[in-house]
Amino acid sequence: MVAKPNSRQKQNRIWYFFPFQLAILHLKRNHFLLLFWIILFAFTTRSFANKLGIPSLFLTPEYRGEVGIISFMILGFGLGAFIMAFNIYTYINHAHRFPFLGTLARPFFKFCINNFIIPVAFILTYIWCSASFLSAVELKENFEIFIDMSAFLFGNTLFIALAFLYFFPTNKNIFKITGLTEDEFEKRLEKRKNRFHKQGRPQHKEFYTGRWRVDTYLVNPFKINLARESQHYDKETLKKVFYQNHVNASLFEAIIVLVFFIIGIFQHNDFFVIPAAASVCLVFTVILMAISIVMSRLKGWTLTFFVAVFVLVNWASSNWDILNQANYAYGIDYEKEPVPYNLATIDSLNNDLVRVNRDIEHHQKILKAKISKLKKSQKGEKPKLVIVNATGGGLRSTLWTMRAMQYADSLTQGRLMDRVIMMTGSSGGIIGASYFRELKLRQDSLGAHIYDKEFREKSSSDILNRVLFTFATNDIFIRFRRVQVDGKPYILDRGKTFENQLNRNTDNFMNKSLGEYYKPVTAGLIPMIVMAPSITNDGRRLLISSQPISFLSYEYPDSKDQLNIGSENIEFSQLFVGHDANKLRFTSALRMNATFPYIMPYANLPTEPKIEVMDAGLRDNLGTKITAQYLKVFEKWMEEYTGGIIILQIRDTEKFTEPKDGNVSISDRLLNPIGSFYGNYFNDQDYNMDQLLNVMRSGYDIPIHKVPLELRYELDEEIALSWHLTALEKQKINEAIHRPYNQDALKKLQNLLD
């Protein structure tokens, strides 16, 4: 008859309950592992990266354009993979601290059941947060939300069940290893235990160093057992149990990593493009599994091994191209001799006054043709011309620019685009402007009206899912797959994936070379677009356009000598004239102009040394500098032939905001010197650009008007800077054009164009 436990024993059985001890173990020793969970919790609770829209990727996963059963099931499946990686990592590192596991049937399965606290806490948190988000943002009914959450749980359970189908027949306990029954093993070990006790010395003490006490454990989710005493068990036999389980776990991990890699080969098939949040789980899974595989072999040398590998790879990447594979601007020729990139080359490009005058004459012809058409409807008055400046800001800026241009052009019955001579800016804003310009070019052949909602929906379709999927299954490995663009070979990466998805979303309307826009712009059918991605090597700007624009980079000798002015701008078409610059894919130019750090790779260009370019917003988010320089070059011409200039600014954020609260904590005081710089970065740009426009306007004899269309929102409804938008975010962007301040701006625009 088993004696009833006293109160102290009851307390110990609760405190030394295996799940509780594992949770304490994680807090004490598994800080690296906990970091992944902290990130996932932060995403789910919208405590981190909310401005970048990452939480919405988790709370409303999208698969093939829909947020529903399949997308939630895939996310659940991906989380299941991460949970198993979490269990395997913990088991390989810490199972030896719990020797009683070796005496249990299916020890790894029992371990996973008891390691439930953190995964279950996350799943419950996710269901609560996602359900609330679906109700508030996606406007789903309770039954739909219930089905989605059930799909999430099903996907999670499915992966874990498939994993255990592998582990059940392969994992063995101490009885299977020795071939003895439990009773035979207990009798043999009882004799050995008594012998060691008589000799007054413990058996294999070194094996139990660091052992954690466990009094009770979960046999299954609904049953608790007392833990079997294990100190008297043979050390070498227990080691065999854990080693055999480690090998099986490592093999399982290797298989999963290989499967993920194989799936990446089919990334161009929509069926395999999983939700972005599932890709994040996949990346976390691969990292944990890779570390677990190494750790199962090297034990305490693991950190040293990875540090050594990093140092070696970092050194080798500067010498071996296979370890430092470049991203390309598709269409230009990388096989030819690289262009020397130095001060001599830059000066030679920017000192050709003959070419500058020729380019100015070219643009004057375009402007004269436009003015001639406009005068016919102006009753003899000099018409005003328009320059569009559009800010960066991912898909929110793309959609807002499309919405603003469609509405304004429709309101003015097409007169707006008839007067636009140039569009410039950065990132998503120029993507939206470029798409609308293409619609304008195709309006006679389109089956739908260019102001239709369907085009806005296409412009704001998700891009991030496929980009992150490519990163997870391709870019974190050594990239070996190649693609052909216009007969030229390039390495496949997420940069190409971005362009492909953009083309798919927009019906391949912009799937052209840069040179294909030369004739329609020259003929005055559409306005010129100028992009200015920043060169990371020296901070200069690379000016990209289908038209010759040497006058935007030329520095007059008097200015250089008197003011010691250096060359800030470099004309892309002249720098790479020998590398088929006019064959650059237009989407590559858009991507280089919108290369947000880490999300997309910097494009490398064929120079020596190699230069890399990134988002134009780094230097000029609105394109004001290009606008000012263009107006300065054509100042006399504008004064003679036009009645004024209208600068239409399409902003994805409010320009004038209330000052922030001055009450700060200690952490704020530590972070503010850096945080205030980055937090006010675009405000600083606004102040500088306003001053530039004011100085330029003071020298003009005709009026220069600035008309802002702003996407404003409250802090609690902030729209993410991301390449993915929720249904509610799209709705808010589309409705913003009806806000009073935007309606006032549109009335002003109408009056100026009359």
Side-chain angles (χ1 to χ4, degrees):
M1 183 177 179
V2 180
K4 290 185 178 180
N6 56 38
S7 60
R8 180 61 182 271
Q9 288 175 321
K10 288 180 180 179
Q11 292 176 6
N12 287 341
R13 289 179 182 180
I14 294 174
W15 176 248
Y16 294 108
F17 184 41
F18 194 21
F20 295 163
Q21 291 302 304
L22 282 173
I24 294 170
L25 174 71
H26 291 311
L27 292 173
K28 183 177 181 180
R29 296 182 179 274
N30 276 353
H31 302 136
F32 173 75
L33 188 59
L34 285 179
L35 178 63
F36 291 96
W37 283 113
I38 290 171
I39 293 172
L40 290 176
F41 271 104
F43 287 160
T44 299
T45 57
R46 304 178 69 187
S47 304
F48 177 63
N50 212 30
K51 291 184 178 181
L52 299 178
I54 295 179
S56 66
L57 300 177
F58 281 80
L59 302 176
T60 55
E62 185 176 303
Y63 176 70
R64 303 183 76 170
E66 295 185 4
V67 177
I69 296 174
I70 298 177
S71 64
F72 276 100
M73 186 174 68
I74 294 173
L75 177 56
F77 195 82
L79 179 65
F82 176 72
I83 290 173
M84 287 308 300
F86 164 72
N87 286 327
I88 292 171
Y89 179 96
T90 310
Y91 186 79
I92 287 176
N93 281 279
H94 301 293
H96 68 278
R97 303 181 190 280
F98 308 98
F100 81 95
L101 285 170
T103 69
L104 305 179
R106 299 183 179 126
F108 179 67
F109 175 68
K110 299 290 197 310
F111 180 88
C112 293
I113 290 176
N114 286 271
N115 198 26
F116 77 90
I117 290 180
I118 294 178
V120 169
F122 176 77
I123 290 171
L124 293 176
T125 301
Y126 177 83
I127 290 175
W128 173 263
C129 292
S130 182
S132 302
F133 199 74
L134 287 171
S135 176
V137 176
E138 294 292 329
L139 308 178
K140 286 198 172 189
E141 300 293 334
N142 289 338
F143 181 73
E144 290 180 285
I145 295 173
F146 172 77
I147 295 298
D148 289 341
M149 294 302 100
S150 299
F152 170 77
L153 290 174
F154 174 77
N156 189 268
T157 305
L158 179 62
F159 186 93
I160 294 173
L162 291 174
F164 284 131
L165 284 178
Y166 165 83
F167 282 109
F168 277 174
T170 59
N171 274 204
K172 300 176 182 178
N173 63 0
I174 196 168
F175 307 114
K176 289 186 178 180
I177 291 288
T178 60
L180 301 174
T181 65
E182 186 171 351
D183 290 338
E184 291 172 335
F185 200 92
E186 289 293 338
K187 289 178 182 178
R188 174 183 290 189
L189 292 179
E190 188 64 32
K191 293 179 181 178
R192 183 182 300 174
K193 181 179 177 182
N194 292 334
R195 185 170 67 252
F196 274 88
H197 276 264
K198 289 178 181 179
Q199 294 173 357
R201 59 187 177 90
Q203 182 189 26
H204 305 304
K205 181 178 179 180
E206 69 278 7
F207 181 68
Y208 302 102
T209 302
R211 177 180 179 270
W212 285 54
R213 176 177 171 180
V214 172
D215 287 0
T216 53
Y217 70 97
L218 286 171
V219 180
N220 58 54
F222 310 103
K223 182 179 179 182
I224 298 176
N225 268 8
L226 292 173
R228 181 185 283 113
E229 179 59 49
S230 56
Q231 281 192 338
H232 59 285
Y233 281 79
D234 180 68
K235 164 193 168 184
E236 295 303 323
T237 306
L238 285 171
K239 272 190 171 182
K240 287 181 181 179
V241 174
F242 291 123
Y243 177 77
Q244 178 262 343
N245 290 336
H246 291 176
V247 170
N248 289 334
S250 299
L251 180 60
F252 175 78
E253 290 175 323
I255 292 171
I256 295 300
V257 171
L258 181 62
V259 169
F260 287 159
F261 181 70
I262 292 172
I263 289 175
I265 296 175
F266 301 98
Q267 62 178 276
H268 294 297
N269 189 318
D270 286 349
F271 178 81
F272 290 97
V273 181
I274 61 178
S279 294
V280 173
C281 291
L282 188 154
V283 171
F284 286 1
T285 300
V286 169
I287 292 172
L288 278 187
M289 287 186 169
I291 293 173
S292 299
I293 291 171
V294 175
M295 196 168 282
S296 67
R297 297 291 181 180
L298 300 184
K299 307 296 182 185
W301 288 95
T302 301
L303 179 59
T304 304
F305 170 79
F306 278 111
V307 170
V309 168
F310 174 79
V311 171
L312 180 62
V313 171
N314 186 58
W315 170 83
S317 64
S318 61
N319 298 287
W320 300 342
D321 289 341
I322 193 172
L323 296 177
N324 190 20
Q325 294 167 326
N327 172 263
Y328 298 102
Y330 303 107
I332 61 176
D333 193 342
Y334 284 80
E335 298 297 322
K336 295 180 180 178
E337 190 72 20
V339 179
Y341 186 74
N342 49 43
L343 292 177
T345 300
I346 295 170
D347 287 341
S348 67
L349 289 173
N350 293 345
N351 286 335
D352 190 346
L353 186 57
V354 174
R355 179 160 51 84
V356 169
N357 289 330
R358 184 175 65 243
D359 292 351
I360 290 175
E361 289 178 7
H362 171 75
H363 282 267
Q364 286 177 343
K365 289 179 181 178
I366 298 174
L367 292 170
K368 284 180 180 179
K370 183 173 285 290
I371 289 291
S372 297
K373 292 179 182 178
L374 292 173
K375 278 186 175 180
K376 294 177 181 179
S377 60
Q378 285 292 112
K379 300 177 182 178
E381 294 182 7
K382 292 181 179 180
K384 296 182 180 69
L385 297 180
V386 179
I387 294 176
V388 175
N389 290 167
T391 62
L395 273 189
R396 78 181 180 201
S397 189
T398 299
L399 177 56
W400 174 236
T401 302
M402 271 290 293
R403 176 59 165 156
M405 291 300 299
Q406 281 185 318
Y407 194 95
D409 196 53
S410 173
L411 190 67
T412 59
Q413 298 178 329
R415 286 180 297 147
L416 172 62
M417 281 299 286
D418 287 342
R419 296 164 186 252
V420 175
I421 55 173
M422 182 174 70
M423 294 174 156
T424 187
S426 65
S427 192
I430 286 302
I431 293 177
S434 299
Y435 185 43
F436 184 70
R437 183 183 74 156
E438 184 65 37
L439 294 178
K440 194 74 175 180
L441 179 63
R442 295 170 179 258
Q443 62 181 340
D444 293 335
S445 60
L446 285 176
H449 206 284
I450 65 171
Y451 309 129
D452 279 1
K453 180 182 177 181
E454 69 169 292
F455 295 117
R456 293 199 300 276
E457 292 176 344
K458 289 177 179 179
S459 73
S460 61
S461 297
D462 173 80
I463 298 178
L464 194 57
N465 275 332
R466 197 178 291 269
V467 168
L468 286 185
F469 179 71
T470 301
F471 173 76
T473 59
N474 181 78
D475 288 12
I476 60 174
F477 300 98
I478 294 177
R479 289 168 279 150
F480 64 89
R481 282 180 291 161
R482 292 183 172 269
V483 292
Q484 293 281 330
V485 179
D486 296 335
K488 302 181 182 76
Y490 304 94
I491 293 174
L492 175 67
D493 61 13
R494 63 190 185 280
K496 187 68 176 74
T497 298
F498 177 90
E499 293 184 36
N500 288 345
Q501 188 61 44
L502 177 62
N503 281 326
R504 291 160 72 99
N505 292 349
T506 55
D507 298 317
N508 282 300
F509 281 5
M510 295 185 290
N511 190 11
K512 299 178 176 181
S513 69
L514 189 67
E516 288 180 77
Y517 283 105
Y518 178 83
K519 288 184 177 180
V521 172
T522 301
L525 300 176
I526 53 175
M528 171 179 69
I529 284 181
V530 179
M531 290 171 265
S534 304
I535 300 174
T536 62
N537 306 57
D538 55 18
R540 289 184 171 88
R541 299 189 304 166
L542 192 64
L543 304 188
I544 305 174
S545 177
S546 62
Q547 305 299 305
I549 49 173
S550 60
F551 50 82
L552 292 179
S553 57
Y554 181 74
E555 299 294 348
Y556 288 88
D558 289 346
S559 299
K560 293 180 69 174
D561 293 341
Q562 296 173 19
L563 301 177
N564 194 27
I565 293 176
S567 297
E568 176 189 8
N569 301 321
I570 302 171
E571 188 182 6
F572 174 85
S573 62
Q574 287 303 310
L575 182 62
F576 299 109
V577 66
H579 292 73
D580 298 334
N582 64 325
K583 293 184 179 179
L584 173 74
R585 304 310 299 174
F586 187 69
T587 49
S588 286
L590 291 174
R591 172 172 59 86
M592 288 191 288
N593 202 55
T595 300
F596 193 83
Y598 305 111
I599 300 298
M600 283 189 291
Y602 299 161
N604 284 254
L605 297 173
T607 60
E608 181 57 45
K610 291 180 181 178
I611 60 173
E612 296 180 327
V613 294
M614 65 172 293
D615 203 304
L618 179 68
R619 293 291 314 280
D620 184 3
N621 197 35
L622 266 166
T624 309
K625 294 190 72 172
I626 291 175
T627 298
Q629 203 157 358
Y630 181 88
L631 292 177
K632 182 63 179 175
V633 171
F634 294 100
E635 179 180 356
K636 299 302 180 184
W637 194 95
M638 295 291 180
E639 290 173 347
E640 182 177 354
Y641 293 102
T642 73
I645 302 297
I646 303 169
I647 300 174
L648 179 61
Q649 283 193 347
I650 304 176
R651 307 174 57 95
D652 73 325
T653 55
E654 185 177 359
K655 181 175 182 179
F656 300 111
T657 57
E658 293 291 338
K660 297 178 181 177
D661 189 352
N663 296 324
V664 294
S665 63
I666 294 176
S667 62
D668 291 331
R669 293 183 186 278
L670 292 173
L671 297 175
N672 271 352
I674 298 175
S676 62
F677 172 78
Y678 287 104
N680 293 316
Y681 183 75
F682 291 114
N683 290 337
D684 292 341
Q685 279 197 16
D686 273 331
Y687 299 141
N688 293 334
M689 299 310 167
D690 282 351
Q691 186 179 34
L692 177 64
L693 283 178
N694 192 42
V695 170
M696 184 202 63
R697 182 193 60 81
S698 63
Y700 254 71
D701 289 337
I702 56 173
I704 297 177
H705 305 273
K706 186 167 68 173
V707 179
L709 294 175
E710 297 182 352
L711 177 62
R712 300 184 190 177
Y713 36 77
E714 301 298 328
L715 288 176
D716 59 349
E717 60 175 19
E718 190 166 9
I719 300 172
L721 193 164
S722 174
W723 294 110
H724 174 91
L725 294 173
T726 65
L728 184 60
E729 287 173 333
K730 293 178 183 179
Q731 179 181 327
K732 289 177 180 177
I733 293 170
N734 282 313
E735 291 174 350
I737 198 69
H738 299 294
R739 300 280 179 92
Y741 46 85
N742 283 326
Q743 287 296 308
D744 291 341
L746 288 165
K747 288 178 183 177
K748 178 181 177 181
L749 179 64
Q750 275 185 294
N751 293 332
L752 289 172
L753 292 177
D754 286 341

